[in-house]
């Protein structure tokens, strides 16, 4: 099977021209409010995980690493997600606390990119979110040394059985190696598909938290 047979061909001129013109979509001055507005629309259209975002970090050699995580909270401080602190991403963020995030919603053909420093959420925030997770996911956080080599699926099942015996009854405490990070955006770019790949881009930049946002349009 050739790769070409599974990669969609470039659209024809007619298909490009028929791309939906979404009109004015940069409708709010405050970028986090605009993002929440777009996310609300995406959550109605995406088949699942409209809060999924690619998280890019760098390893000790400066080699980038990217993987999906779920956005779990957003407020004026930034965007938070939760993970194992000893995973590759956890270690990379501890060593280089800066990251990029990107959302791509195929259903509405929009993209939003964030860049900025990353901080740990407070223990209270992590406890509060952990308490909302399903019991099985709480046990899983104890049982899975995320990103470590695993001998086989059975090894995981053995660990889950052991942690279920320890934490099966009553409230499950948050593991010390499990918490969240918050990306504090200093750059946010909104992108929307337009006919003929002549997309619209609007970037917001600020020096740091609390500073005013400046906007700029970018060529597609
Ligand atoms: C849609 C989606 C959402 C995910 N959400 C999370 C998440 O919120 N936290 C997490 O630790 N891993 C999440 N994962 C798994 C990560 O992509 C990744 O496999 C795992 O965290 C290990 O990454 P690392 O070795 O770079 O640390 C998600 C995967 C997908 C596909």
């Amino acid at each position: 099977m050739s790769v070409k047979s599974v990669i969609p061909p470039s659209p024809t001129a007619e298909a490009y021209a028929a791309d939906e013109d979404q009109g004015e979509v940069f409708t709010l001055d405050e970028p986090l409010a605009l993002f929440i507005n777009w996310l609300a629309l995406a959550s109605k259209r995406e088949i699942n995980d409209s809060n999924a975002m690619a998280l890019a970090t760098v390893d000790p050699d400066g080699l980038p690493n990217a993987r999906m995580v779920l956005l779990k909270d957003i407020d004026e401080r930034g965007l938070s997600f939760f993970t194992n602190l000893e995973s590759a991403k956890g270690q990379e963020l501890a060593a280089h606390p800066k990251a990029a995030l990107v959302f791509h919603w195929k259903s509405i053909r929009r993209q939003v990119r964030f860049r900025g420093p990353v901080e740990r959420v407070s223990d209270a925030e992590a406890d509060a979110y952990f308490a909302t997770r399903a019991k099985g996911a709480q046990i899983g956080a104890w049982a899975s040394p995320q990103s470590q080599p695993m001998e086989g699926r059975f090894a995981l099942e053995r660990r889950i059985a052991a942690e279920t015996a320890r934490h099966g009854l009553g409230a499950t405490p948050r593991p010390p190696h499990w918490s969240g990070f918050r990306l504090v955006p200093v750059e946010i770019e909104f992108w929307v598909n337009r006919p003929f790949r002549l997309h619209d881009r609007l970037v917001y930049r600020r020096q740091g938290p609390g500073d005013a946002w400046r906007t700029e349009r970018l060529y597609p």
Side-chain angles (χ1 to χ4, degrees):
M1 191 206 302
S2 100
V3 171
K4 288 225 166 72
S5 69
V6 291
I7 294 180
S10 292
T12 59
E14 292 74 25
Y16 269 139
D19 266 358
E20 183 195 3
D21 187 329
Q22 301 191 37
E24 183 50 56
V25 290
F26 305 140
T27 48
L28 295 164
D29 290 336
E30 208 290 309
L32 289 179
L34 180 58
F35 170 72
I36 290 168
N37 184 286
W38 284 28
L39 180 61
L41 178 61
S43 69
K44 292 195 199 110
R45 303 278 186 83
E46 291 288 292
I47 54 170
N48 56 37
D49 292 340
S50 54
N51 59 332
M53 54 191 186
L55 163 71
T57 53
V58 286
D59 79 3
D61 295 327
L63 185 65
N65 210 351
R67 80 293 281 158
M68 303 305 291
V69 292
L70 295 176
L71 174 69
K72 284 295 166 183
D73 199 11
I74 179 165
D75 60 23
E76 62 293 343
R77 294 170 299 172
L79 295 86
S80 16
F81 55 90
F82 292 87
T83 193
N84 187 311
L85 301 174
E86 292 160 11
S87 65
K89 76 181 89 49
Q91 294 189 35
E92 288 165 7
L93 287 171
H96 295 283
K98 293 179 180 180
L101 295 169
V102 58
F103 292 80
H104 174 221
W105 299 298
K106 289 187 167 70
S107 60
I108 57 172
R109 308 192 76 171
R110 297 187 193 184
Q111 167 180 256
V112 185
R113 300 163 63 179
F114 293 84
R115 301 173 74 208
V118 169
E119 59 191 27
R120 282 269 299 277
V121 303
S122 68
D123 285 348
E125 284 173 274
D127 287 342
Y129 171 61
F130 190 77
T132 68
R133 284 169 57 107
K135 187 82 176 171
Q138 293 176 335
I139 301 275
W142 279 101
S144 171
Q146 190 179 50
S147 311
Q148 301 301 314
M150 182 174 83
E151 311 82 83
R153 194 78 200 172
F154 183 64
L156 175 61
E157 280 161 15
R158 235 185 11 238
R159 295 179 70 105
I160 289 174
E163 295 300 341
T164 304
R166 275 179 69 201
H167 299 295
L169 295 175
T172 308
R174 176 175 60 89
H177 58 258
W178 192 98
S179 186
F181 292 95
R182 178 182 300 108
L183 183 139
V184 179
V186 292
E187 187 175 309
I188 309 178
E189 187 202 309
F190 294 83
W191 179 105
V192 59
N193 186 76
R194 291 259 190 254
F196 295 109
R197 302 266 196 261
L198 299 175
H199 314 302
D200 258 351
R201 300 174 66 189
L202 175 67
V203 60
Y204 292 76
R205 294 196 187 92
R206 62 178 177 181
Q207 285 295 335
D211 292 330
W213 291 103
R214 287 176 296 105
T215 59
E216 206 163 42
R217 296 267 185 162
L218 302 177
Y219 280 104

